[in-house]
Amino acid sequence: MGSEQESVPLLIEVKGLGKSFPGVRALDCVDLKLNKGEVLAVIGENGAGKSTLMKILAGVQPPDQGEIRIDGKTLQAVSVEAALDQGVVLIHQELNLASNLSVGANVFLGREPGQWGVINSKKIRVESRKFLDMIGLDVDPDTLVGDMPIGRQQMVEIAKALSVNARVLIMDEPTSSLSLAETENLFKVIKDLRKRGVSIIYISHRLGEVKELADRVTVLRDGENAGELAKGEIDHDAMVKLMVGREVAQLYERSRHEIGEVALSVEGLRTAAHPAHKLSFEVRAGEIVGVAGLVGAGRTEMMETLFGVSEPLAGEIRVHGGEALELKSPRDAIEAGMALVPEDRKSQGLILDMNVRENMSLASLDRDKKIAGILNKKAEARISQTMIEQMRIKTPNDEQVVRFLSGGNQQKVVVGKWLAMEPKVLLLDEPTRGIDIGAKQEIYALMEDLAKKGVAILFVSSEMEEVLGVADRVLVMHEGGISGELSRGELCEEAVMQLATGVV
Amino acid sequence: MNKILGITGLLAFVWLATWVFSDLLSDHQWSFLTAYNQENLLKRIALFAIISIGVAFVIITGGIDLSIGSVICLVGVGFPWLLMEKGWPLGLALPTVLLVAASIGLIHGLLITKLKLQPFVVTLCGLLIYRGISRGFTGDQTQGFQNSFKGLKLLATGKIPVTTEFGIPMPVVFMVIVAAAAAFFLNRTVYGRHLKALGNNEEAAKFSGINTDRMIISAYVICSSLAGLGGLLFVLDVNSAQPVDFGNFYELYAIAAAVLGGCSLRGGEGTILGVIIGTAVMRVLNNSINLIDWISKNIEFAVIGVVILVGVIVDELAKRMMARRRAELDKKKASVVSSRESGR
């Protein structure tokens, strides 16, 4: 017991925590310490057990083994109420706000002041103002949450947490859907909260953020403690090494691939979301083109319009110099040889309650059908077997329901579904969002491989490293238009950022 | 598969209980386990199963059809009206009523997919509209075949003799054909797979290139067409129909049977076999209320409601128990592994 412990009082101590789910041991003898007023980053690949650990801390799930001590006292029953009593609040990746209610109503949701069930709206307005001021959120408490951008909605969550006297804020991937400016603002608030003595457990895949924010880093791997880094030891390589348990040689293995004729040509495309801008560009066979930009720059809208999800207002889209396509639905785009791996894997990419085989064959069933629409079960089994092997999907068999796969493996199923169609133009929207480093590497290798085979690849990414590392050429979008194009030689972070923020 | 076993168990229980209380423990003559009653029961099961299979298609897409009873009424009174009052030839009247039924489904489907109206609202309006139309053009008068069309009526009343007393009613033949076709469609064709996929996640299905609108419209057309076929057989069976209450509540019987048989109203789930057994449970219950003296006929709805509710509750509890048992098993396995590892 050194003097260190006295100077930074220990707030939470977790010992020997264990938790199993059907088929997985999510946590095994995990220890964790959190001091007052520190930002502790918890990192690890997907499936490492971060989310489970956080859910247990916040009382959402009970542990199978182990104990949690708060202020030196062992927590008896694990429940959300008990956690809240101790000031432990979890802010979910997907925000938990009622978008049809006002900011003030959300801050006081479940604890509305008033008498006989009549809400005292004035008090809500005045009281919530206090907490909004605390984090510098300049918004009228009467504003509907649904009318606010996502970054500000998150601030409302934080205000809500402060209103219950949170001592510990657990944030799960808080920046995954924030713009750059919103992220910066969030960091400011986090640093400010730390000064006020609030402890923060910060979970993120973005190691750059961790480096900027964290006082200490705890790394989990396969449900166990993999190591810890003190403030001075936090750097990118050290974190990656602990996460994957080995040295990563190179995330992006670039190889030379032949660039061929124009595979996708887009001329004067106007999307329904940003009708004022005309988009024109080309992607050649064997070329990997990145689309960078801030959230809300219209990248996803462009991809979805190219794929026929929403109809283009004007413009000509051609594949391999053919006729201008009339895109009324994804079917038209698929027929022309396009494929889209959508931004939101769970709601757009997968039928979560169907198994791996059924998901994998969903796009190709129609092509492979026998007479009178009878399923070609042989072709279906062959496709799923090939893809599982080729993409090294970790699944017990092809009957596994995809809901129970890890994010990386789920994403591989989505990609595999389209590879079965042998597309000429592959559109990828945030292909590595929320998947672990190992799976990321495999997706990049796959993109390289496809490019070598002459597939034209257009991919949207919000991760700068990824754009810089993978793309042969980058289109940068800003407020619905293409603000610039950077060739391999011109590519650097500053250039992309300038175009993305419209500084030039 | 577990679900089918469970509902089959429920069917066996209800059937046996009815037999015990209506026959074994009563002082009058046997009324339940008689060739006549069982034959009639089978016929009613078949008739209701046909419309329940129809609504199952809609439920699998995540939708609902509340208009079935009124479609049955429209066809049930419209068919004899065209033949007897208007003097249409059979060859014209029959395709006309079936076409009308199919068109109703087409309109429902178009409104739901193209105008994005909610299935509940569209088909609720349908329930009111088709009932009103039926009562309107018939002047609320009972429509029937009287003594004509004896041969045609055999489609519903005829039977394939098995013994001297017992035969398989013709509607059972229709049901088997419909069920076989429906099961084949759902399990063996691309379209069935597409239907289940979009019932689970319409957006992902669309992103996979499935023509979701066309599949949803097809489901409503199938549902209304089978309701039309049902209406035809129902009226042929009873010979006459009153516009004011013919087919009343049948949509609820059909939906209840589908749910009891394992369809989830959230969509994406359901089997044809389950729906048929679910229908059978409903019909045996109805039969038992009619036959057992000490159950008042007035409380039929309450009895059926309670049985369905209990069935759904038991199913949910069983599901949770299974999940818990699996979790415990995994935990045991995990602890065995970890103790082995620590022992090393």
Side-chain angles (χ1 to χ4, degrees):
Chain A
M1 297 289 145
S3 57
E4 255 181 41
Q5 291 235 329
E6 281 155 36
S7 58
V8 249
L10 194 60
L11 189 58
I12 295 185
E13 187 174 17
V14 171
K15 268 189 179 162
L17 218 55
K19 175 85 188 170
S20 295
F21 294 109
V24 250
R25 182 111 178 110
L27 291 178
D28 198 5
C29 254
V30 169
D31 298 335
L32 183 95
K33 280 179 187 167
L34 179 69
N35 297 319
K36 190 168 185 297
E38 81 169 338
V39 176
L40 170 70
V42 176
I43 62 173
E45 298 196 0
N46 276 359
K50 294 165 297 182
S51 294
T52 309
L53 177 59
M54 295 312 132
K55 279 184 190 155
I56 291 174
L57 280 180
V60 181
Q61 283 167 350
D64 298 338
Q65 294 140 12
E67 67 170 344
I68 301 169
R69 287 174 173 215
I70 297 183
D71 294 330
K73 270 178 284 184
T74 303
L75 209 58
Q76 291 307 333
V78 176
S79 70
V80 177
E81 288 76 23
L84 279 179
D85 260 357
Q86 297 292 333
V88 180
V89 180
L90 172 66
I91 295 181
H92 283 273
Q93 200 169 352
E94 289 97 22
L95 301 177
N96 272 332
L97 293 169
S99 56
N100 58 335
L101 295 181
S102 72
V103 170
N106 267 289
V107 170
F108 283 96
L109 197 63
R111 300 170 292 117
E112 291 83 358
Q115 265 183 323
W116 300 309
V118 180
I119 295 175
N120 184 342
S121 308
K122 197 177 156 202
K123 193 164 177 197
I124 284 191
R125 222 170 291 137
V126 175
E127 291 286 310
S128 58
R129 183 73 265 165
K130 269 199 271 179
F131 298 110
L132 296 173
D133 284 342
M134 237 186 245
I135 53 169
L137 182 60
D138 180 27
V139 66
D140 181 358
D142 286 333
T143 315
L144 282 191
V145 163
D147 293 341
M148 299 163 63
I150 190 101
R152 305 190 75 151
Q153 291 189 16
Q154 194 172 44
M155 291 296 145
V156 175
E157 278 257 31
I158 297 176
K160 185 176 164 186
L162 293 179
S163 76
V164 295
N165 289 322
R167 296 191 294 164
V168 179
L169 267 185
I170 303 173
M171 306 179 116
D172 193 357
E173 298 273 355
T175 58
S176 61
S177 45
L178 297 192
S179 70
L180 206 70
E182 287 171 332
T183 302
E184 272 172 17
N185 186 40
L186 176 72
F187 285 4
K188 227 166 57 199
V189 170
I190 290 177
K191 287 171 184 166
D192 186 52
L193 288 173
R194 169 166 58 188
K195 260 183 236 152
R196 289 170 187 269
V198 177
S199 306
I200 285 154
I201 301 182
Y202 190 87
I203 300 173
S204 182
H205 276 110
R206 302 187 176 170
L207 301 181
E209 295 176 359
V210 171
K211 198 176 170 191
E212 178 174 351
L213 280 177
D215 299 314
R216 204 153 53 83
V217 176
T218 288
V219 188
L220 295 182
R221 193 197 313 144
D222 300 331
E224 295 175 35
N225 288 88
E228 226 188 80
L229 298 169
K231 181 87 189 166
E233 305 166 333
I234 302 173
D235 72 37
H236 190 276
D237 289 346
M239 287 190 278
V240 172
K241 196 175 158 191
L242 285 176
M243 276 163 71
V244 295
R246 61 192 144 84
E247 302 266 3
V248 250
Q250 175 101 42
L251 208 45
Y252 319 99
E253 292 252 11
R254 295 184 55 83
S255 57
R256 296 209 163 267
H257 34 256
E258 293 265 317
I259 289 180
E261 59 169 59
V262 175
L264 172 70
S265 99
V266 177
E267 241 186 85
L269 177 70
R270 291 198 293 138
T271 66
H274 299 279
H277 291 89
K278 284 188 176 178
L279 308 171
S280 302
F281 61 91
E282 286 175 347
V283 183
R284 292 174 170 269
E287 195 181 22
I288 301 180
V289 176
V291 182
L294 304 178
V295 172
R299 297 172 300 169
T300 293
E301 289 79 0
M302 178 179 85
M303 297 297 252
E304 291 190 350
T305 308
L306 287 176
F307 194 58
V309 174
S310 46
E311 271 185 57
L313 300 183
E316 292 189 346
I317 301 166
R318 288 169 212 275
V319 172
H320 279 283
E323 299 238 324
L325 299 174
E326 262 195 58
L327 296 173
K328 296 216 172 296
S329 74
R331 286 152 39 81
D332 299 326
I334 293 167
E335 220 161 89
M338 290 201 263
L340 169 69
V341 173
E343 183 182 24
D344 189 335
R345 176 166 65 237
K346 284 183 179 160
S347 75
Q348 301 169 324
L350 294 167
I351 314 286
L352 284 176
D353 287 321
M354 283 189 155
N355 65 33
V356 171
R357 187 182 62 237
E358 288 163 333
N359 270 285
M360 203 78 91
S361 63
L362 204 53
S364 48
L365 275 184
D366 201 47
R367 178 195 65 191
D368 295 343
K369 67 174 182 259
K370 297 196 219 168
I371 193 162
I374 295 171
L375 287 175
N376 186 343
K377 297 215 172 187
K378 264 191 206 150
E380 192 187 6
R382 196 181 55 234
I383 282 172
S384 74
Q385 221 43 57
T386 318
M387 290 301 159
I388 288 172
E389 280 164 28
Q390 189 183 330
M391 309 195 52
R392 273 173 280 152
I393 297 174
K394 272 180 224 141
T395 172
N397 52 50
D398 65 3
E399 306 250 312
Q400 174 79 349
V401 174
V402 294
R403 181 185 292 281
F404 301 121
L405 295 182
S406 72
N409 284 307
Q410 286 182 345
Q411 186 72 324
K412 288 185 194 171
V413 173
V414 182
V415 176
K417 171 171 77 181
W418 290 116
L419 292 194
M421 293 297 284
E422 294 167 0
K424 296 178 204 139
V425 177
L426 180 60
L427 311 172
L428 301 153
D429 196 351
E430 302 283 5
T432 65
R433 169 173 291 179
I435 69 177
D436 63 54
I437 288 185
K440 273 184 187 178
Q441 244 173 330
E442 287 181 274
I443 299 269
Y444 300 142
L446 195 78
M447 286 165 71
E448 282 287 335
D449 198 40
L450 290 171
K452 241 185 243 168
K453 287 182 185 150
V455 178
I457 297 178
L458 184 67
F459 80 103
V460 165
S461 175
S462 293
E463 283 186 45
M464 187 67 77
E465 287 175 59
E466 184 170 301
V467 174
L468 298 178
V470 179
D472 295 319
R473 188 155 58 88
V474 174
L475 303 172
V476 187
M477 292 189 72
H478 173 64
E479 289 181 355
I482 294 178
S483 54
E485 191 184 317
L486 298 165
S487 66
R488 184 80 213 152
E490 304 165 310
L491 261 183
C492 68
E493 194 166 341
E494 291 75 36
V496 173
M497 253 5 263
Q498 274 180 349
L499 288 169
T501 49
V503 173
V504 197
Chain B
M1 217 57 236
N2 275 325
K3 224 163 199 169
I4 303 259
L5 280 181
I7 177 86
T8 310
L10 181 62
L11 175 62
F13 173 77
V14 175
W15 193 92
L16 282 173
T18 311
W19 180 45
V20 167
F21 289 113
S22 144
D23 293 349
L24 297 182
L25 297 181
S26 76
D27 37 17
H28 55 67
Q29 268 204 319
W30 280 24
S31 52
F32 179 69
L33 193 52
T34 62
Y36 171 78
N37 186 59
Q38 290 300 313
E39 202 179 279
N40 204 39
L41 186 58
L42 260 184
K43 181 168 73 187
R44 301 296 282 177
I45 290 172
L47 290 172
F48 277 95
I50 290 170
I51 61 170
S52 303
I53 288 169
V55 82
F57 275 89
V58 165
I59 291 176
I60 286 173
T61 69
I64 195 91
D65 191 341
L66 299 175
S67 70
I68 294 168
S70 296
V71 171
I72 288 171
C73 177
L74 189 64
V75 171
V77 300
F79 185 51
W81 181 75
L82 285 177
L83 289 174
M84 306 296 289
E85 300 260 321
K86 295 281 139 188
W88 284 30
L90 179 64
L92 187 61
L94 186 68
T96 301
V97 290
L98 289 179
L99 200 68
V100 166
S103 318
I104 285 174
L106 181 66
I107 294 167
H108 290 169
L110 286 172
L111 289 172
I112 288 160
T113 54
K114 303 300 176 193
L115 265 188
K116 309 258 176 261
L117 299 184
Q118 285 173 340
F120 191 98
V121 177
V122 170
T123 58
L124 178 65
C125 295
L127 175 147
L128 300 169
I129 294 169
Y130 316 134
R131 173 75 56 187
I133 290 176
S134 307
R135 294 179 64 174
F137 71 77
T138 56
D140 232 358
Q141 296 302 305
T142 302
Q143 302 295 315
F145 306 101
Q146 287 150 2
N147 286 322
S148 333
F149 299 105
K150 287 221 170 77
L152 189 64
K153 276 184 261 181
L154 282 179
L155 284 180
T157 57
K159 57 183 179 181
I160 304 165
V162 177
T163 69
T164 45
E165 281 169 38
F166 180 79
I168 307 275
M170 279 308 285
V172 174
V173 176
F174 281 102
M175 180 196 77
V176 169
I177 294 169
V178 167
F184 186 82
F185 181 89
L186 271 185
N187 302 319
R188 291 294 174 83
T189 69
V190 176
Y191 314 111
R193 179 71 65 74
H194 285 178
L195 204 67
K196 283 190 210 162
L198 81 89
N200 259 310
N201 185 344
E202 194 178 335
E203 201 179 357
K206 209 174 272 175
F207 271 77
S208 298
I210 294 172
N211 192 338
T212 51
D213 284 0
R214 195 172 63 191
M215 289 315 304
I216 292 173
I217 294 170
S218 312
Y220 282 91
V221 171
I222 290 171
C223 180
S224 294
S225 301
L226 287 180
L229 175 65
L232 213 56
L233 293 174
F234 273 117
V235 74
L236 286 171
D237 181 34
V238 293
N239 199 28
S240 70
Q242 289 178 317
V244 63
D245 66 354
F246 192 68
N248 232 356
F249 287 119
Y250 282 17
E251 61 281 337
L252 298 185
Y253 288 132
I255 294 166
V259 170
L260 204 53
C263 289
S264 162
L265 289 183
R266 278 185 289 271
E269 244 178 272
T271 60
I272 299 301
L273 185 59
V275 172
I276 292 174
I277 302 175
T279 312
V281 172
M282 303 274 299
R283 285 300 106 199
V284 176
L285 266 181
N286 173 282
N287 195 219
S288 70
I289 291 161
N290 279 318
L291 295 181
I292 299 175
D293 303 328
W294 45 268
I295 303 179
S296 157
K297 286 185 185 53
N298 300 335
I299 63 164
E300 178 189 350
F301 282 149
V303 173
I304 292 179
V306 166
V307 170
I308 296 174
L309 196 58
V310 168
V312 176
I313 290 172
V314 168
D315 178 54
E316 184 63 37
L317 292 180
K319 223 187 293 171
R320 287 187 192 187
M321 212 169 69
M322 299 269 277
R324 205 174 311 146
R325 198 176 303 163
R326 209 178 315 146
E328 265 163 33
L329 218 68
D330 282 328
K331 214 186 289 177
K332 230 176 264 170
K333 252 188 254 163
S335 67
V336 168
V337 170
S338 62
S339 70
R340 215 184 290 151
E341 276 169 1
S342 60
R344 245 183 253 155

